[in-house]
Amino acid sequence: MTNKSLNLGDRLYDYLLAVSLREPEILLKLREETARHPMSQMQIAPEQGQFMSLLVQLMGATKTLEVGVFTGYSALSVALALPENGQVVACDVSEEFTAIARRYWEMAGVTDKIDLRIAPAVETLDQLLAEGQAETFDFAFIDADKSNYETYYERALQLVRPGGLILIDNVLWSGRVADGQVQDTRTEAIRAFNRKLHEDQRVTLSMVAIADGLTLALKRP
C-alpha cells in the first residue's frame, strides 16, 4: 500500500500538493496523527481524499457507503462534502482504529452524518439489502480486506442507484499487480478483481493512477 500517488518523485509530489491540495485543518490534523500510527500505510493520500470530495459534490450525492474506515480520513473527507442531510454508512471491524475516527468526526461536527457500523462488512451490507435499501446509495468507497473485494463490490453494486458511483482503492497495489513474480494471495485477489471489472458490462469503468490506484465504476441504468 502507499499513501501518496505512485511514481511521482518527492519534488513533483510536493509541487502537486502545493498547487492543488486544499486540505481543511481538521483533515490535516487527522492525517498527521495517523502518520504516527503503526499501520499508517493504510491511510489514503490527501489528494485522493480531495478527489473523492470533488466527486461527491459533482454528483450531488446525499447517501454514501464506505467499506473500511481505519482512522476515518476518507469518511471525513466525504462527510465534509455532503449537504446537511447527507449520510455516510461506514463499515469497519475495529473499535480501536475507529475510536480515532470518532474523535475527529466529533471535532469536525459531522458525527450526525456518519453511521458507523462495527461488524464484518458483509453482514452490514446484507443487512442494508434486507432492510430494502437497494439502489438508494449515490456513492460507495471500498477500501478493506482485498480477498473480499469482489464480495463487497457485488453488494455495493446492488446498493447504489443507477448512475451511482463505486470507488475501489489499491487497485495498482504499489505496482505489484504488474509483477508476475509476485504471487501472494492479496495480490492475486486484486489481479482477479481488476480482470473481473474490466469485463463487467454493468458498469462504465475508469482506473486512475491516483495514490495506490483507484477504480471508478459507474452503475449503468
Side-chain angles (χ1 to χ4, degrees):
M1 296 183 187
T2 178
N3 53 15
K4 59 176 283 188
S5 287
L6 289 169
N7 299 322
L8 291 180
D10 289 343
R11 180 182 297 175
L12 185 56
Y13 181 66
D14 289 345
Y15 177 79
L16 180 152
L17 296 183
V19 300
S20 71
L21 186 63
R22 297 176 177 177
E23 186 177 36
E25 185 177 359
I26 189 68
L27 281 171
L28 174 59
K29 288 180 177 178
L30 173 53
R31 184 161 60 91
E32 289 175 340
E33 178 170 339
T34 304
R36 300 189 293 271
H37 193 283
M39 302 293 289
S40 61
Q41 74 277 7
M42 293 170 58
Q43 171 73 69
I44 69 165
E47 66 273 20
Q48 180 178 331
Q50 181 166 290
F51 181 58
M52 291 169 59
S53 172
L54 175 65
L55 291 173
V56 166
Q57 293 178 68
L58 186 65
M59 296 178 68
T62 59
K63 188 176 182 182
T64 74
L65 177 68
E66 177 163 304
V67 180
V69 175
F70 189 39
T71 60
Y73 189 95
S74 52
L76 181 54
S77 297
V78 169
L80 289 170
L82 291 175
E84 288 302 315
N85 65 335
Q87 183 186 46
V88 182
V89 177
C91 310
D92 206 283
V93 294
S94 174
E95 290 279 8
E96 177 189 356
F97 295 161
T98 57
I100 301 170
R102 288 179 190 269
R103 179 157 43 86
Y104 279 89
W105 297 343
E106 184 173 356
M107 286 190 286
V110 298
T111 301
D112 290 345
K113 291 184 180 181
I114 303 176
D115 178 8
L116 178 62
R117 312 278 185 100
I118 300 295
V122 173
E123 294 181 9
T124 299
L125 299 176
D126 284 344
Q127 181 181 2
L128 292 170
L129 289 168
E131 293 170 355
Q133 298 197 48
E135 297 195 343
T136 64
F137 287 81
D138 302 301
F139 177 93
F141 177 52
I142 300 171
D143 183 17
D145 52 305
K146 312 312 170 192
S147 61
N148 277 316
Y149 261 22
E150 181 174 354
T151 301
Y152 299 146
Y153 169 74
E154 289 295 340
R155 301 299 198 281
L157 197 59
Q158 295 178 64
L159 287 163
V160 300
R161 60 172 172 80
L165 185 64
I166 303 171
L167 271 59
I168 307 98
D169 202 20
N170 303 119
V171 291
L172 293 179
W173 202 229
S174 297
R176 291 190 291 274
V177 288
D179 184 348
Q181 300 301 311
V182 180
Q183 301 289 331
D184 65 273
T185 302
R186 291 190 296 173
T187 303
E188 287 289 358
I190 296 172
R191 285 187 185 122
F193 178 75
N194 288 341
R195 289 192 296 268
K196 171 189 171 71
L197 259 66
H198 187 226
E199 301 300 326
D200 191 347
Q201 296 303 310
R202 296 171 296 175
V203 297
T204 300
L205 188 69
S206 182
M207 182 186 289
V208 296
I210 188 172
D212 199 26
L214 187 68
T215 289
L216 284 66
L218 183 73
K219 183 175 178 178
R220 291 175 170 171

